[in-house]
Amino acid sequence: MYDTGKILAGLVAFIVVATFPLWFTNLFGSPSARPVLELPKGEKKCVEDTEYMRHWHMNMLDQWRNEVVREGKRMYVSSDGRKFEMSLNKNCLKCHESRAKFCDRCHNYMAVDPYCWDCHVTPTGE
Amino acid sequence: MLEYALKGSKRYWTLIGILAVLACAGVITFLYQLKVGLGITGMSRDVSWGFYISQFTFLVGIAASAVMVVLPYYLHNYKAFGRMTILGEFLAIPAVTMCILFIFVDMGQPMRIVNVFLHPTPNSPMFWDTIVLMGYLFLNVVISMVTFGAERKGVAPPRWIKPIIILSIPWAVSIHTVTAFLYAGLEARPFWMTAILAPRFLASAFASGPSLLIILALIVRKFSKFDPGKEAIGKLAQIVTYAMAINVFFVLVEVFTGVYSDMPEHYHSFQYLFLGLGGKSMLTPWAWVSVVLSFGTLFFLLFPKIRRNESALAVLCAGVIAALWIEKGLTMVITGFIPNPMDRVTEYWPTLPEGIISLGIYAIGFLVLAALYKIAISIREQLEAR
Amino acid sequence: MDESRRNFLKITGTGVFGALWGIPVLRAVGKAFESSPKALKAKRWAMALDMKRLGRDDVRAAAAKACNSAHNIPDLGIAEEEVKWIWTEEYEAAFPTQVDKFTPEQMRKQPVLVLCNHCDRPPCVRVCPTKATFKREEDGIVMMDMHRCIGCRYCMAACPYGSRSFNWRDPKPFVRQGIRTDYPTRTKGVVEKCTLCAERLARGENPACVDAANKVGGAGTIVFGDIADPNSEISRVLRSRQTVRRKPSLGTSPQVYYLL
């Protein structure tokens, strides 16, 4: 192989630069930058457990909207048997009143921009 | 092979520069359209498809017409097209690219275009159109790269490419047929709902595409040492003549059915196009220019002596392209929406941003064309110098 | 050398693709999805509009207003870009093949309430490349999935009734009656239309226009019900009175009937 040294050096440099956000945050990032979400006051339990919601809420909402719009089914039966209306506005946002203090804080932190809000307006008009 | 597109004369780079500037203007205007929405175009709830889809329709024809050089060369072993085929295939590639871009800018939610593949819907002609267009682009890239690459090395192309070339022939017909089916299957639009739309599209494609190819071949010969051949150009001129004659015949057949039957839904669109309806006649002058150009160019093309005069031929080819561009790239799609389902006339004219975006796409297309032709010319010149 | 590099790329490429394929998309935990017990159900919804009673301006206005406010319909103030779910047309525009030169002027100009016909054989559904618009098999409603629509507007070209509207720009600033938060607005670049108030049917309520029209114009101004049930009110009305449909010769089989 020609230029083995140069190629390897280049590869290492590339990996270091490409993974900059990962190692920099872990080594030098301050924990205070992590988002603090405002949790609902009255309600302790979401439709599913917190861990599940944190990881899968986007897939769940995607499935919900298909069930509602396409299958005409509007009730969700959770794993512990409770029933909820599958509605962002009439279910989720009833407890999570503030989009800015809940949804956006984490979405901004993760730099994701879901287009839910292009159409759905929160009960507080956000 | 691509490296040849990166080495060129000052003239080549000037051309590339101008096209790149136009392309950038188009891209920037498209970003504006993404932000504001398709409201920046002249389209409306009544005329809901406009200039973009019209350009798409016209360019599908240009893309499909490559078959007019591929078929005689590979199926009938017509040697004179030996040096023309690569120009034909290298014209099809940018043409399909432009088609795809015009569809893309016409979407209200272009980022969701993957939904067409995530939720495939075989009963929609648009689904099939996406498939055949992508397939055609793929076929042409593979065929031109493989055959031209072999030629450059002075070896015979690999045997496996032959069936793919044969496949590309019906495939070319399919892209324009499916595009016609996009329109021809709608009971809501009597102007388009005609069985002859697909044949008519093919006829006009085989007139406009080879016309463009003739002009490009003449330019190539003028500015380089690569000569696609006098016989090849003459044969293409003959093809243009036949296709134009068939196209004019098909249009007349349609006008007869629409006008003679006198059914209001059918007649009103023709009335709007050629005479004006309800005091509105924005497209009428264009329609007549197209008619005059069609008959005029066809008349002169019929004389072999005039056809053989290459400067006269270039003018006639430009006339054919203009006539068919007006027909397919302007009046055909828009008139289908007029009058609207309530029998009222809402007119359409593209806006400036719409024009800039379209110009930008044409610039991208011609950029690809220039680069590909540069490759073809450089390699050809090398081969000829050997 | 060259060969092995190519093979290496092939193998890694396939491997990465396969690994991505295997990532589970959703770890489902919920037990079930159910329709609400209160929901109104039918085998085939249909509507009969009393043309005479809907000739009254206040009745039509009430019906349109109820729909517009229930669904956050914008008022763009530009005729070419209007979003319309239910609106008024003149008789000659709604039924262009039904007028001739002897049709009295008063009849030609008679206002008619029009909306999506929820066709039995909807051309819009036939052409949609993503199934964003589809016919609900259980009750015949021609639905619109605004999440999936790519905005190609093929359905607008296919609809013979002009019942589909495109969002040429963001509609939110034009929802002049104030955005209600229990129903979404739309985003720019999607097509929308009447959904026969699928969301109200799910709550056990009639479509908004039906209730509003019957309240102002009296019971029976718009009869709404299941035509698959021969004993339903709408079946009886359709059997006993003469009706017309818009452009029946096209074979789309509209399920909005007009009572003469």
Side-chain angles (χ1 to χ4, degrees):
Chain A
M1 199 190 273
Y2 307 108
D3 297 330
T4 312
K6 279 185 200 163
I7 290 171
L8 284 180
L11 271 178
V12 169
F14 172 76
I15 289 169
V16 169
V17 172
T19 56
F20 174 82
L22 297 177
W23 57 261
F24 185 82
T25 319
N26 277 312
L27 290 179
F28 308 106
S30 56
S32 66
R34 302 202 172 201
V36 183
L37 306 187
E38 191 177 287
L39 296 172
K41 288 174 188 83
E43 193 62 56
K44 280 277 160 279
K45 196 156 190 265
C46 201
V47 289
E48 298 291 348
D49 64 65
T50 312
E51 196 58 25
Y52 179 84
M53 294 310 290
R54 189 176 290 152
H55 284 109
W56 300 105
H57 67 278
M58 59 301 258
N59 308 68
M60 182 186 238
L61 288 172
D62 184 43
Q63 196 170 5
W64 279 22
R65 69 183 192 184
N66 281 333
E67 290 294 334
V68 170
V69 178
R70 307 191 69 87
E71 307 300 327
K73 299 201 170 136
R74 289 180 188 250
M75 302 305 286
Y76 177 75
V77 186
S78 69
S79 46
D80 54 4
R82 292 172 300 152
K83 288 188 179 178
F84 298 95
E85 185 177 359
M86 290 188 278
S87 165
L88 184 67
N89 284 37
K90 282 179 273 178
N91 185 49
C92 312
L93 298 172
K94 215 167 59 190
C95 299
H96 302 288
E97 284 167 338
S98 170
R99 173 190 152 193
K101 289 176 187 157
F102 186 76
C103 314
D104 287 352
R105 278 191 187 164
C106 200
H107 289 158
N108 290 343
Y109 178 73
M110 299 299 289
V112 290
D113 188 15
Y115 58 81
C116 311
W117 318 112
D118 288 359
C119 299
H120 294 268
V121 178
T122 68
T124 50
E126 288 171 86
Chain B
M1 234 193 269
L2 289 173
E3 67 272 17
Y4 290 102
L6 300 174
K7 294 179 282 201
S9 62
K10 206 166 180 182
R11 209 158 43 193
Y12 171 70
W13 283 110
T14 316
L15 176 68
I16 294 288
I18 293 169
L19 290 173
V21 169
L22 290 174
C24 283
V27 170
I28 291 165
T29 316
F30 175 63
L31 292 177
Y32 167 64
Q33 180 186 293
L34 265 188
K35 193 163 186 294
V36 179
L38 281 163
I40 65 157
T41 68
M43 290 184 272
S44 60
R45 63 175 295 144
D46 286 334
V47 185
S48 46
W49 279 343
F51 202 65
Y52 297 148
I53 293 290
S54 302
Q55 301 319 298
F56 155 76
T57 311
F58 175 72
L59 289 165
V60 171
I62 301 289
S65 70
V67 77
M68 284 289 104
V69 286
V70 169
L71 190 145
Y73 181 62
Y74 286 105
L75 230 48
H76 299 284
N77 206 14
Y78 181 67
K79 290 279 185 252
F81 277 169
R83 283 181 295 188
M84 193 62 101
T85 41
I86 192 65
L87 296 187
E89 285 158 357
F90 277 177
L91 173 60
I93 292 170
V96 186
T97 311
M98 286 189 273
C99 288
I100 292 171
L101 288 174
F102 271 114
I103 291 280
F104 186 73
V105 300
D106 191 63
M107 296 288 122
Q109 288 283 338
M111 301 313 161
R112 295 188 194 167
I113 208 157
V114 280
N115 282 357
V116 177
F117 306 103
L118 290 178
H119 311 286
T121 314
N123 52 299
S124 171
M126 196 175 278
F127 166 74
W128 290 108
D129 218 14
T130 330
I131 305 268
V132 291
L133 277 178
M134 306 275 243
Y136 191 65
L137 180 61
F138 177 75
L139 284 178
N140 271 286
V141 169
V142 169
I143 292 170
S144 54
M145 290 299 162
V146 169
T147 54
F148 202 54
E151 202 177 323
R152 182 182 158 210
K153 288 183 198 138
V155 295
R159 284 175 56 132
W160 56 263
I161 198 73
K162 193 72 194 265
I164 296 182
I165 293 171
I166 305 293
L167 175 67
S168 82
I169 294 170
W171 204 290
V173 177
S174 84
I175 62 169
H176 223 12
T177 306
V178 177
T179 303
F181 285 177
L182 209 63
Y183 302 103
L186 303 181
E187 63 269 52
R189 311 289 167 186
F191 186 68
W192 298 336
M193 210 181 68
T194 155
I196 211 168
L197 199 67
R200 192 185 136 189
F201 271 15
L202 286 165
S204 69
F206 296 156
S208 57
S211 291
L212 184 56
L213 201 52
I214 288 173
I215 293 179
L216 290 171
L218 292 174
I219 293 174
V220 164
R221 193 174 60 191
K222 187 156 187 226
F223 289 99
S224 81
K225 290 188 207 76
F226 170 29
D227 181 5
K230 205 172 171 65
E231 191 193 335
I233 290 175
K235 189 52 90 181
L236 275 180
Q238 213 174 16
I239 290 173
V240 170
T241 311
Y242 273 102
M244 196 61 184
I246 295 170
N247 180 58
V248 167
F249 171 66
F250 282 173
V251 173
L252 288 175
V253 166
E254 259 205 75
V255 171
F256 172 79
T257 317
V259 175
Y260 187 81
S261 67
D262 210 17
M263 286 168 74
E265 310 89 277
H266 288 268
Y267 179 68
H268 281 169
S269 296
F270 286 99
Q271 194 183 356
Y272 169 73
L273 185 58
F274 290 112
L275 305 169
L277 185 64
K280 291 176 175 165
S281 55
M282 202 182 260
L283 293 180
T284 308
W286 291 89
W288 284 107
V289 168
S290 176
V291 167
V292 170
L293 276 175
S294 294
F295 279 99
T297 50
L298 177 61
F299 177 77
F300 289 110
L301 278 169
L302 286 172
F303 299 97
K305 216 172 162 183
I306 301 175
R307 270 201 322 257
R308 275 197 289 273
N309 175 339
E310 280 177 357
S311 24
L313 180 63
V315 173
L316 288 175
C317 284
V320 167
I321 295 170
L324 297 177
W325 181 81
I326 294 172
E327 195 185 299
K328 261 157 110 182
L330 197 62
T331 59
M332 202 290 296
V333 174
I334 296 161
T335 311
F337 288 101
I338 300 171
N340 77 357
M342 317 292 176
D343 216 13
R344 275 193 291 262
V345 178
T346 305
E347 295 203 285
Y348 161 86
W349 195 250
T351 59
L352 183 65
E354 207 173 353
I356 297 174
I357 293 173
S358 303
L359 193 65
I361 295 176
Y362 272 108
I364 293 172
F366 277 93
L367 200 83
V368 176
L369 182 85
L372 290 175
Y373 270 42
K374 173 71 180 44
I375 295 171
I377 290 166
S378 303
I379 294 177
R380 275 277 166 216
E381 282 177 340
Q382 275 182 14
L383 287 175
E384 246 133 85
R386 254 181 222 170
Chain C
M1 181 74 216
D2 224 7
E3 266 311 293
S4 68
R5 186 188 297 159
R6 183 177 275 194
N7 282 337
F8 169 76
L9 287 175
K10 269 187 201 163
I11 291 162
T12 16
T14 324
V16 167
F17 187 75
L20 287 175
W21 198 258
I23 292 177
V25 177
L26 171 64
R27 206 189 52 168
V29 294
K31 270 190 182 152
F33 303 102
E34 291 176 355
S35 54
S36 139
K38 281 187 295 182
L40 295 184
K41 293 211 161 98
K43 283 224 166 57
R44 197 13 166 143
W45 291 118
M47 223 182 231
L49 278 66
D50 188 319
M51 279 175 111
K52 204 170 209 166
R53 288 202 236 176
L54 285 164
R56 269 171 57 188
D57 290 346
D58 58 333
V59 183
R60 285 193 322 281
K65 196 179 164 212
C67 175
N68 291 346
S69 75
H71 304 114
N72 290 320
I73 307 288
D75 173 14
L76 286 114
I78 315 164
E80 285 81 26
E81 294 190 12
E82 259 179 319
V83 173
K84 299 194 272 197
W85 286 27
I86 184 166
W87 73 102
T88 297
E89 289 286 351
E90 289 167 353
Y91 179 80
E92 63 177 355
F95 298 93
T97 52
Q98 304 274 334
V99 287
D100 54 59
K101 61 180 170 181
F102 300 111
T103 312
E105 189 66 9
Q106 187 200 351
M107 181 72 185
R108 282 175 180 274
K109 301 294 169 206
Q110 159 96 6
V112 178
L113 199 61
V114 294
L115 67 158
C116 169
N117 284 305
H118 294 276
C119 302
D120 245 354
R121 292 152 74 179
C124 53
V125 170
R126 192 175 73 219
V127 301
C128 177
T130 61
K131 303 188 192 84
T133 193
F134 59 97
K135 195 176 130 192
R136 293 214 307 208
E137 282 314 316
E138 66 270 26
D139 59 7
I141 294 181
V142 177
M143 268 299 275
M144 187 63 219
D145 184 347
M146 261 87 74
H147 300 119
R148 188 183 285 187
C149 175
I150 59 172
C152 70
R153 311 188 296 294
Y154 199 2
C155 55
M156 295 178 78
C159 177
Y161 307 103
S163 294
R164 293 184 154 263
S165 307
F166 183 70
N167 286 281
W168 298 98
R169 55 192 83 229
D170 181 14
K172 271 190 198 160
F174 303 97
V175 184
R176 298 183 203 277
Q177 64 274 23
I179 295 175
R180 62 186 301 157
T181 59
D182 59 354
Y183 196 84
T185 65
R186 263 70 64 196
T187 181
K188 62 172 181 278
V190 297
V191 173
E192 62 180 88
K193 68 167 199 79
C194 158
T195 61
L196 215 61
C197 283
E199 85 287 0
R200 287 173 60 96
L201 295 175
R203 293 200 293 266
E205 295 167 32
N206 277 331
C209 59
V210 175
D211 279 351
N214 290 345
K215 194 173 158 202
V216 181
T221 304
I222 300 182
V223 184
F224 173 74
D226 185 0
I227 45 163
D229 172 8
N231 298 318
S232 66
E233 190 195 351
I234 188 158
S235 294
R236 269 181 278 129
V237 167
L238 292 182
R239 273 199 303 270
S240 59
R241 292 179 60 179
Q242 187 164 3
T243 57
V244 286
R245 292 187 291 173
R246 292 175 68 197
K247 302 187 182 175
S249 67
L250 297 181
T252 57
S253 188
Q255 293 308 309
V256 171
Y257 296 80
Y258 290 89
L259 302 167
L260 291 171

